[in-house]
Amino acid sequence: MSETAPFTLATPAGPVLHGLVDLPDQDGRRPAVIICHGFKGFMEWGFFPYLAALLADRGFVAVRFNLSGSGMRPGEDRVGDLRAFRDDTHSGELADLLAVLDAVAGDAATIAPRRVDPSRVGLFGHSRGGGAAILAAARPPWRERLRALVTWAAIASVDRYTPQQKEEWRREGKLPVVNARTGQQLEMGLGLLADLERNRAELDIAAAAGRLAAPWLIVHGEDDESVPASEAKLLADRAASPSPTPPGRDPAALTELLLIPGASHTFGSRHPFAGPTPPLIQALNATQTWFRRHL
């Protein structure tokens, strides 16, 4: 049986991140997978604990955490820090993810330091967390160091707002958003809008897809109601083989697109988790196979 342990991480940018590590039974240093949730998600939502436990049972150290801008506190299922949610930005999410990567496999690793093989690190992201994972995987030093990437329902662009929404956003100083699961009335502040407009190049997910070196599995539901499957196809089209290709890798096998018929944005999963659905099982099986193959 795997073991789950909590951790806290003080980041260079200031926020303290809260996370969980699922440790496998096997002794010694093991390959690690960092899991990044998406917008209005959190590390204990729905399928994330199930995914982490599955990976730990397969011999991986699974690291999941709450993005600081999620406003989520460990053990809670509603946004508790409304200000943090309002002040969230894409650049902040990327900084959080990079801080966790460094703490897991960097020069001064602090998360499960004696259990992680820093030469075998993979990254997983769902939805907006998938976009952050792509951006992180395309940046040095992780472009050269990551051994595998899996994204589920990943966004291909951070700019997902109409001109009318942006006009209202600027006029009101906020953009309302409702959490459909809880009914919470939330707000996104002007900082997020300024970030996506000011840092377009740094946050260009489609461009980052063309710079990836790690083997990448793109999983998407054909009936995704939040992120159209066309975005997965765009990312797959943009994904480029590295030059030069690392020894022993088949350039044609570096990127794989898996479209799951009938699957929604969360592959039929809900919170609280009621067990895996057929689409989720397909996604989970492909994911653990990908990490076992490349890590």
Side-chain angles (χ1 to χ4, degrees), residues 2 47-48 62 87-88 105 123 138 145 172 179 181 183 187 196 211 237-238 264-265 282 287:
S2 59
F47 55 62
F48 289 115
D87 293 343
D88 190 24
L123 186 53
R145 294 194 55 192
E172 301 295 332
N179 187 324
R181 178 179 60 85
E187 298 174 354
L196 67 86
R211 299 194 301 270
D237 288 342
R238 293 292 182 91
S264 67
H265 187 62
Q282 187 175 350
T287 296

Side-chain angles (χ1 to χ4, degrees), residues 20-42:
L20 295 167
V21 181
D22 288 76
L23 298 167
D25 282 340
Q26 295 92 330
D27 294 329
R29 295 179 181 269
R30 304 295 305 171
V33 177
I34 292 89
I35 298 169
C36 187
H37 69 77
F39 185 52
K40 294 185 286 186
F42 52 102

Side-chain angles (χ1 to χ4, degrees), residues 118-160:
S119 69
R120 293 192 290 167
V121 178
L123 186 53
F124 171 95
H126 174 250
S127 191
R128 202 156 104 175
I134 295 164
L135 293 172
R139 291 171 63 111
W142 301 108
R143 182 184 185 277
E144 291 73 32
R145 294 194 55 192
L146 278 177
R147 293 274 295 273
L149 172 66
V150 177
T151 57
W152 289 7
I155 61 172
S157 171
V158 298
D159 193 344
R160 315 188 69 77

Side-chain angles (χ1 to χ4, degrees), residues 18 35-49 64-74 76-81 85 88 93 96 125-130 177-182 184 186 265-266 270-271:
H18 298 272
I35 298 169
C36 187
H37 69 77
F39 185 52
K40 294 185 286 186
F42 52 102
M43 64 182 175
E44 294 163 295
W45 184 92
F47 55 62
F48 289 115
R64 49 196 163 109
F65 65 102
N66 284 341
L67 291 162
S68 60
S70 69
M72 298 296 301
R73 301 186 177 108
E76 298 182 354
D77 66 355
R78 293 171 61 90
V79 175
D81 190 338
F85 186 94
D88 190 24
E93 292 176 355
D96 286 350
H126 174 250
S127 191
R128 202 156 104 175
V177 58
V178 178
N179 187 324
R181 178 179 60 85
T182 65
Q184 265 189 297
L186 305 170
H265 187 62
T266 58
R270 297 290 185 268
H271 184 84

Side-chain angles (χ1 to χ4, degrees), residues 151-171:
T151 57
W152 289 7
I155 61 172
S157 171
V158 298
D159 193 344
R160 315 188 69 77
Y161 311 98
T162 67
Q164 292 75 21
Q165 285 177 309
K166 291 179 181 178
E167 180 181 352
E168 176 191 353
W169 205 339
R170 292 189 179 92
R171 183 176 63 251

